[in-house]
Amino acid sequence: MNDRSPLVNIIECLIFVSKAPLTIQEISDFLKDFEKNEITDALSELEEQWDGMGRSFILSNIAGGYQFRTRPEYSEYIVEFNKEIKKFRLSKAALEVLAIVAYKQPVTKIEVEKIRGVDCSSSVSMLLERRFIEISGRKDVPGKPFLYRTTDLFLETFGLKNIKDLPTVKEIEKIKEDLGEPG
Amino acid sequence: MITERNGKTEDPQSAYSVTLDIFNGPLDLLLHLIKKDEVDIYDIPIARITEQYLEYLDFLKKVNLEVVGDYLSMAAELGYIKSRMLLPRIKDEGEEEEQDPREELVRRLLEYERYRDAAAELGGMEILGKDVFLAGYDRKEEFGEPTEETEFVKFDLWALVDTFSKIYSDRKKSETEDIFFSSQTYTVEERKNQLIEIMKREKEVFFEDLFEGDINRMKLVVTFISILELLKDGALDVFQPTFEEPLKIILKQ
């Protein structure tokens, strides 16, 4: 603990007071006297230290940045203690829409509905309202429908480093090959 | 298309259609039927599955759940595939293999199933505001009041319909009571309140036991609709330890 470099401590306190996950870029833009690899090394050192301390919260790598988060095993105490916390809720339908957008982005509402076989308007607008998805443009087809993609808030909420960090869906692509994707 | 409505309608007839939203559409129902029958998805017995699918729709209609749009077009699609299965297969010039009329449906089912699994995986992640928290975290402040949405349920809701349909047909005998009943009013709102009282007392009840006092079919239906509504509101949850064991309804804190 005592042989910690000042850099490790500086980065630690910056993360501690930061509201959103703090990225390496933001840190290195601020700490101009340090090389980027020094900062990266300090971050991995911090991450390891916090994980090894067996504390109730750890340093997590989320949405391309770093953030302190509590360990999941203490969630019931936190919810019970702080009744003001609105417990996270999402319907099965909304979660399916979110999963399809996450894996297929950018994607139109019609494409999502084709996969689910039902109208998804209310789920899409709810996910937009809660900023889990956003409009990324328009598809160049007749009618120019909106294209949707997931947001950083989505990554933050689901604890993902980046979009490649999504759990691997077994063989979605492979099935398409086997059956011969039409068109 | 089925509209996923969030707002409650006053008209009791149309109020029922809202309840169907907690089910996940025709593909989800087909997967349920395929799994229930332990049928090979690559070799679906279309005639049998179509029949079961239509029985389901009939039953839902009978208990006043409005079956519309997507469920009906799937029924038509199944009928079409069924008829094509009866025709001799025509081999196109230069085509290596015969086209199976079920192929496109199987592709859609498999694709939907993968995303359904992916959604379940997502729902099982360490979620901010549910499993993990930040210092000074206050979701209310940041995102506003969450909209009226059901909490993610891993449970296959179609199994509820299966169980209810059994209860419903077992209770069919006492039909004379329906006439007696028509003079009384028995509303979903009232029943919901009663169910909440029961659940507060018992915490955990077998799904079937909630129909104990329902002496006629109309009451059965009201109880069923009430349970679906409470599930949708997130007040109750369904729980089944294993596939062999009966379904349980539990109260959420």
Side-chain angles (χ1 to χ4, degrees):
Chain A
M1 253 318 238
N2 294 331
D3 53 8
R4 262 188 173 194
S5 72
L7 177 64
V8 170
N9 279 337
I10 293 164
I11 293 173
E12 186 182 56
C13 76
L14 292 179
I15 296 168
F16 181 73
V17 297
S18 175
K19 249 193 148 178
L22 197 60
T23 64
I24 298 176
Q25 194 56 50
E26 285 170 311
I27 300 168
S28 63
D29 283 351
F30 176 67
L31 300 171
K32 289 202 176 64
D33 294 344
F34 295 92
E35 294 294 323
K36 207 163 180 176
N37 65 323
E38 285 179 276
I39 292 167
T40 323
D41 289 349
L43 275 166
S44 348
E45 193 184 327
L46 260 180
E47 215 179 346
E48 249 170 65
Q49 280 179 5
W50 277 96
D51 194 41
M53 271 191 282
R55 293 285 168 100
S56 59
F57 52 93
I58 52 167
L59 187 62
S60 313
N61 185 350
I62 303 289
Y66 288 81
Q67 190 171 50
F68 285 107
R69 292 182 164 208
T70 61
R71 284 187 197 268
E73 49 265 51
Y74 302 105
S75 64
E76 59 173 308
Y77 297 98
I78 297 163
V79 174
E80 186 60 27
F81 179 71
N82 193 349
K83 293 262 193 325
E84 281 298 287
I85 291 178
K86 281 275 165 191
K87 227 182 157 198
F88 176 87
R89 288 174 74 176
L90 208 58
S91 73
K92 201 172 166 178
L95 204 49
E96 279 185 13
V97 172
L98 188 56
I100 296 169
V101 174
Y103 284 95
K104 286 195 78 118
Q105 58 187 311
V107 69
T108 65
K109 186 166 78 82
I110 306 271
E111 286 162 350
V112 174
E113 287 171 340
K114 236 178 163 177
I115 292 172
R116 290 195 66 230
V118 278
D119 177 86
C120 300
S121 310
S122 84
S123 290
V124 167
S125 50
M126 194 274 295
L127 291 168
L128 278 170
E129 197 183 305
R130 288 181 61 177
R131 292 189 288 126
F132 288 144
I133 61 171
E134 63 190 8
I135 292 164
S136 67
R138 283 173 182 275
K139 193 167 181 164
D140 199 12
V141 291
K144 299 228 183 287
F146 286 128
L147 284 163
Y148 297 97
R149 65 175 174 217
T150 53
T151 60
D152 276 353
L153 182 67
F154 162 74
L155 297 176
E156 285 173 40
T157 306
F158 288 85
L160 300 165
K161 261 183 225 166
N162 52 53
I163 205 66
K164 290 194 189 84
D165 195 28
L166 278 169
T168 35
V169 183
K170 33 177 184 174
E171 303 163 62
I172 282 184
E173 293 309 316
K174 199 177 167 292
I175 283 159
K176 280 187 196 161
E177 282 167 31
D178 287 354
L179 291 160
E181 175 88 332
Chain B
M1 294 247 162
I2 307 265
T3 322
E4 296 174 353
R5 264 174 291 180
N6 279 327
K8 289 226 169 81
T9 8
E10 291 306 311
D11 176 17
Q13 279 298 311
S14 63
Y16 296 153
S17 67
V18 177
T19 317
L20 209 58
D21 298 347
I22 71 170
F23 299 109
N24 265 345
L27 291 171
D28 196 48
L29 174 54
L30 278 177
L31 285 174
H32 169 76
L33 295 174
I34 287 164
K35 201 178 151 200
K36 205 171 82 174
D37 266 25
E38 289 169 0
V39 162
D40 179 8
I41 196 162
Y42 292 99
D43 189 18
I44 302 170
I46 281 292
R48 194 163 96 214
I49 292 290
T50 304
E51 197 183 314
Q52 288 178 0
Y53 183 86
L54 295 175
E55 272 172 23
Y56 246 84
L57 296 198
D58 276 348
F59 181 73
L60 292 175
K61 266 184 244 166
K62 202 152 68 184
V63 301
N64 267 345
L65 288 164
E66 196 189 342
V67 179
V68 284
D70 303 316
Y71 287 91
L72 297 180
S73 39
M74 178 56 79
E77 200 180 318
L78 288 171
Y80 175 68
I81 296 170
K82 200 172 115 184
S83 67
R84 274 192 54 197
M85 294 291 285
L86 298 171
L87 296 172
R89 307 251 181 104
I90 303 149
K91 219 177 195 175
D92 282 352
E93 280 291 317
E95 219 177 316
E96 285 290 308
E97 273 175 78
E98 295 168 7
Q99 175 96 2
D100 189 325
R102 299 169 296 184
E103 193 182 292
E104 170 61 14
L105 179 67
V106 172
R107 193 194 63 79
R108 282 178 68 195
L109 283 169
L110 288 173
E111 190 178 29
Y112 171 67
E113 192 186 30
R114 289 307 180 276
Y115 284 109
R116 200 181 65 174
D117 290 352
E121 286 235 27
L122 265 189
M125 306 216 44
E126 288 171 5
I127 293 169
L128 189 64
K130 176 170 166 278
D131 308 300
V132 296
F133 297 87
L134 307 175
Y137 184 77
D138 186 355
R139 192 170 181 85
K140 214 160 125 191
E141 188 188 279
E142 261 188 73
F143 309 114
E145 293 284 339
T147 42
E148 193 193 307
E149 278 284 329
T150 325
E151 190 155 344
F152 175 64
V153 268
K154 283 199 188 88
F155 185 76
D156 177 8
L157 283 160
W158 296 108
L160 271 189
V161 180
D162 290 347
T163 312
F164 178 64
S165 127
K166 271 191 216 106
I167 299 170
Y168 187 84
S169 41
D170 286 351
R171 215 68 67 95
K172 218 171 184 175
K173 296 135 205 162
S174 52
E175 258 182 273
T176 41
E177 284 153 356
D178 283 344
I179 304 154
F180 171 72
F181 164 76
S182 57
S183 60
Q184 303 174 359
T185 43
Y186 194 63
T187 69
V188 170
E189 269 324 296
E190 274 169 33
R191 189 64 184 137
K192 273 167 81 175
N193 291 333
Q194 286 173 3
L195 286 171
I196 284 290
E197 286 308 310
I198 295 170
M199 292 311 299
K200 272 184 183 157
R201 208 168 54 227
E202 308 286 338
K203 305 279 186 257
E204 211 179 279
V205 178
F206 285 115
F207 175 64
E208 295 189 53
D209 291 350
L210 289 172
F211 298 93
E212 200 114 278
D214 298 323
I215 45 153
N216 58 41
R217 285 187 290 158
M218 193 58 197
K219 285 204 171 187
L220 284 177
V221 170
V222 171
T223 302
F224 182 59
I225 305 280
S226 306
I227 294 171
L228 293 184
E229 295 253 319
L230 288 169
L231 288 171
K232 187 185 160 72
D233 296 345
L236 302 179
D237 207 348
V238 193
F239 175 68
Q240 187 180 29
T242 65
F243 271 111
E244 288 77 35
E245 285 173 74
L247 301 165
K248 270 183 174 174
I249 301 291
I250 52 174
L251 180 74
K252 287 212 199 156
Q253 36 19 344

